[in-house]
Amino acid sequence: MLAPASIGYSAATPMAPRKAAWRLHAHGRGDYAGGVDAAARSAAVLGACALLACADAYAQAGYPVKPVRFINPVAAGGNQEIVARAVAEQLSKALGQQFIVESRPGASAIVGTRLVKAAAPDGYTFLAVSNTFARVPAIVAAAGYDPLKDFLPVSLMADIPMVLSVNPALPARTVKELIALAKQRPGELLYASAGSGSTGHVAAEMFSRQAAIKMLHVPYKGNAPAIIDLVGGQVMIMFDQISTSFPHIRAGKLRALGVTSRTRSPLFPDLPTIEEAGLRGFEDTTFNGLAAPAGTPQELRERLRQEMVKAVAVPEARNRFLERGIELKASASLDEFGAFLRKQVTEFAQLAKEAGIQSN
């Protein structure tokens, strides 16, 4: 906040020949040197507040005055980093300052997350977040952060639906047929995921609970080996992001049964949502967003959110990501994204407890 060290006010009153002074300092305390009436003191305070408000507005209008960092806490090259870079590029153009994406992966995104938690809350360091950010503390005792207490919301950046796919050898061509088969063979059907607690694992658990079925989880160390075994027939079922499963579905190596979003994917306009296919109320997508260290001023976060609304609306960028099955979108307010994160955290914590989900 830009403000003078002190703002002075002096007045002489007709009641006394001596000078009286009211001095209001930037930290908010006043020194009364006698003889100044209440009206004069009020005027001094109001005048000082107005000056401070103007200074604060000036500071926000000049933001940013140096490069801004977006910390990506997962491996480079994935959707989370790609989305963050696309948004950062548009913000750099709009605000005339560099927005830099730095990847700091490690320990289920904990390394990069802790780095941002410890950063100065000055509006120059932010965290690119996803489902992992909201879920890790529920299954990793030593996560070292609380997503709701140690961070403040900025905005959503993207929504990425998943697709339920099966190996073509599995005798199930629809969601209803898969559910019926799983009920005939409880605990026998193998489904793959990128690891315990991953988005695919959580989606499959949600699906199983809502459909009242039991399938056997086979966790892999990453998405790539899980997809390889799904195509090879070592496992038969998987929930995966559309962007990574799309080439295999198009080549006929996998059979898509439904998407996890409430609306159909532009990549598969003829493929029903899982809700349309018979599992009422089912929805589970991957999100990308932006959070700030606790203490970051609301004005700076709101300024950035407003610019992000414009950034995700650029037609060229939107169309490029839609081709990958990714919808760029921003939150309508800070509170909206905050409520979204709270829902993600609380619902997963309950699911993890009930389903016994633990980290690898």
Side-chain angles (χ1 to χ4, degrees):
M1 180 179 294
L2 301 177
S6 63
I7 301 171
Y9 171 79
S10 62
T13 72
M15 299 299 292
R18 61 196 177 109
K19 296 284 185 179
W22 176 260
R23 296 183 298 276
L24 178 69
H25 299 285
H27 51 62
R29 295 181 57 190
D31 299 323
Y32 178 50
V36 181
D37 59 22
R41 292 197 300 272
S42 296
V45 173
L46 290 172
C49 288
L51 284 173
L52 291 174
C54 289
D56 185 60
Y58 176 79
Q60 306 306 340
Y63 171 83
V65 296
K66 63 180 182 179
V68 179
R69 295 191 304 163
F70 286 0
I71 302 300
N72 168 47
V74 297
N79 285 334
Q80 188 166 330
E81 187 216 18
I82 294 169
V83 168
R85 287 193 181 281
V87 172
E89 179 182 354
Q90 295 301 324
L91 292 175
S92 296
K93 294 177 182 177
L95 296 176
Q97 188 59 258
Q98 281 188 306
F99 281 74
I100 303 167
V101 177
E102 296 181 10
S103 291
R104 299 292 185 90
S108 298
I110 291 174
V111 172
T113 301
R114 285 182 178 177
L115 184 154
V116 177
K117 173 189 171 181
D122 56 5
Y124 289 93
T125 304
F126 295 89
L127 179 68
V129 299
S130 67
N131 305 62
T132 302
F133 167 76
R135 294 171 175 175
V136 162
I139 58 176
V140 180
Y145 73 92
D146 185 315
L148 302 180
K149 294 180 180 179
D150 296 325
F151 295 88
L152 290 171
V154 180
S155 177
L156 195 67
M157 290 194 293
D159 188 31
I160 310 170
M162 288 180 280
V163 60
L164 168 58
S165 300
V166 300
N167 184 283
L170 190 73
R173 306 192 68 85
T174 67
V175 169
K176 287 184 178 180
E177 289 181 1
L178 175 62
I179 293 173
L181 183 64
K183 288 183 176 180
Q184 293 171 10
R185 299 163 56 183
E188 294 182 19
L189 300 185
L190 305 182
Y191 75 89
S193 83
S196 184
S198 65
T199 54
H201 179 201
V202 174
E205 282 292 338
M206 291 175 61
F207 179 83
S208 296
R209 294 172 75 81
Q210 288 187 229
I213 60 175
K214 184 174 180 58
M215 301 187 294
L216 186 60
H217 179 215
V218 182
Y220 286 78
K221 293 183 177 180
N223 193 73
I227 286 285
I228 290 173
D229 275 8
L230 179 64
V231 171
Q234 283 75 29
V235 288
M236 304 304 287
I237 305 161
M238 185 174 178
F239 283 84
D240 184 37
Q241 292 184 8
I242 288 180
S243 56
T244 50
S245 287
F246 178 69
H248 304 290
I249 295 170
R250 184 173 53 185
K253 296 179 180 179
L254 295 177
R255 179 188 300 138
L257 302 186
V259 292
T260 62
S261 52
R262 286 290 178 91
T263 57
R264 296 190 179 196
S265 167
L267 290 181
F268 302 107
D270 297 327
L271 184 66
T273 67
I274 291 177
E275 182 177 44
E276 288 176 329
L279 199 57
R280 184 176 297 276
F282 185 88
E283 180 185 20
D284 185 43
T285 60
T286 300
F287 76 89
N288 291 156
L290 198 69
T296 303
Q298 179 176 332
E299 294 82 1
L300 294 183
R301 291 184 291 120
E302 175 60 15
R303 175 77 190 282
L304 202 57
R305 185 200 67 79
Q306 291 177 4
E307 292 298 334
M308 290 173 68
V309 170
K310 302 173 187 176
V312 300
V314 175
E316 180 183 355
R318 284 187 61 80
N319 293 335
R320 185 171 74 249
F321 277 91
L322 282 174
E323 292 175 356
R324 296 171 56 92
I326 300 171
E327 181 184 3
L328 296 181
K329 60 167 61 175
S331 302
S333 68
L334 298 176
D335 288 342
E336 179 184 90
F337 189 49
F340 174 84
L341 287 176
R342 281 192 297 276
K343 186 172 184 289
Q344 291 285 326
V345 171
T346 56
E347 288 187 353
F348 177 73
Q350 181 179 354
L351 176 66
K353 182 177 180 181
E354 294 176 353
I357 298 175
Q358 299 177 345
S359 63
N360 288 333

